[in-house]
Amino acid sequence: MTLLEQRARVQTFSPAVEDFILRFQLQQPRLPAPALRGTRHAAVLIPIICRKEPTILLTRRSDQLRKHPGQVAFPGGAADATDASIIATALREAQEEVAIEPGQVHVLGTLSPQDSSSGFQVTPVVGLLPVDVTFHPAEDEVAELFEMPLQEAFDLARYHTLDIHRRGIHHRVYLSWYQQQFVWGLTAAILRQLARQVEA
């Protein structure tokens, strides 16, 4: 039984969501996974809300945070010794940051890990959320929540590159915008990675 057949028993997806699920499951990554330098593990949840036209939930981090203040991000963070898996890390962090209950997330799978500027190997976990899900951002961590339409996120023309050489190492940084939000760094790279995997 396919995922769509299993889910049809409890939820009817819009054609746009069904199309995304099929493309995510059937398409192989277009590029091999990069060699990673990070030694610590972390995970983020890519929360896709199953609206008629699906959206991706993003956060803007609090300006008071010591690391990456004010940046647009996915819910996520470092792996904990008590986490059963890297997927469990993403679900735990999403619950802590925006109160998404793990039972509300239907995990589709993961993308290849990417290096973060802070020395982590970050695994993106793709999960579907029901339309009626509610969010309660942790005030000390999250300044704002917003949704980006999947169609917008998958427009590869919106991602611009900036090449940086630091300490003898080449870094390619991706930059993008959505409405008034500046999306860059690892978040933009992960969105682009997902877009490239599912593009027709």
Side-chain angles (χ1 to χ4, degrees), residues 42-49 57-59 61 73-80 83 85-107 123-129 133-142 145:
V44 296
L45 179 67
I46 304 176
I48 297 175
I49 303 173
L57 180 73
L58 291 159
T59 74
R61 291 167 60 84
F74 295 107
D80 191 293
D83 293 336
S85 66
I86 202 67
I87 291 175
T89 297
L91 296 177
R92 173 181 56 76
E93 287 284 341
Q95 184 174 28
E96 291 175 2
E97 289 184 26
V98 291
I100 297 173
E101 293 293 333
Q104 292 184 296
V105 183
H106 187 94
V107 175
T123 300
V125 176
V126 180
L128 303 179
L129 297 178
V133 66
T134 57
F135 309 110
H136 299 286
E139 293 182 3
D140 58 338
E141 293 189 55
V142 178
L145 297 176

Side-chain angles (χ1 to χ4, degrees), residues 144 146-149 152 158 176-183:
E144 181 181 0
F146 67 96
E147 296 177 35
M148 177 188 290
E152 294 276 350
R158 72 166 43 252
S176 184
W177 289 264
Y178 174 67
Q179 296 181 348
Q180 77 278 15
Q181 304 288 352
F182 178 42
V183 184

Side-chain angles (χ1 to χ4, degrees), residues 5-161:
E5 290 169 338
Q6 294 170 10
R7 296 290 291 175
R9 296 182 176 183
V10 295
Q11 180 178 350
T12 301
F13 288 122
S14 71
V17 174
E18 290 180 356
D19 180 64
F20 167 72
I21 293 170
L22 288 173
R23 286 193 289 154
F24 178 78
Q25 293 183 323
L26 295 177
Q27 296 285 357
Q28 295 297 315
R30 293 182 177 269
L31 295 172
L36 299 174
R37 294 184 294 271
T39 56
R40 296 175 291 173
H41 293 275
V44 296
L45 179 67
I46 304 176
I48 297 175
I49 303 173
C50 295
R51 305 192 186 285
K52 183 177 180 181
E53 294 299 329
T55 61
I56 296 179
L57 180 73
L58 291 159
T59 74
R60 186 172 63 78
R61 291 167 60 84
S62 168
D63 292 329
Q64 309 308 315
L65 291 174
R66 186 171 58 87
K67 293 183 179 179
H68 312 296
Q71 291 186 11
V72 171
F74 295 107
D80 191 293
T82 60
D83 293 336
S85 66
I86 202 67
I87 291 175
T89 297
L91 296 177
R92 173 181 56 76
E93 287 284 341
Q95 184 174 28
E96 291 175 2
E97 289 184 26
V98 291
I100 297 173
E101 293 293 333
Q104 292 184 296
V105 183
H106 187 94
V107 175
L108 290 183
T110 62
L111 300 177
S112 299
Q114 292 201 33
D115 275 324
S116 75
S117 60
S118 49
F120 284 90
Q121 290 185 25
V122 180
T123 300
V125 176
V126 180
L128 303 179
L129 297 178
V131 174
D132 60 356
V133 66
T134 57
F135 309 110
H136 299 286
E139 293 182 3
D140 58 338
E141 293 189 55
V142 178
E144 181 181 0
L145 297 176
F146 67 96
E147 296 177 35
M148 177 188 290
L150 214 56
Q151 186 176 3
E152 294 276 350
F154 288 174
D155 178 6
L156 288 168
R158 72 166 43 252
Y159 300 100
H160 306 278
T161 59

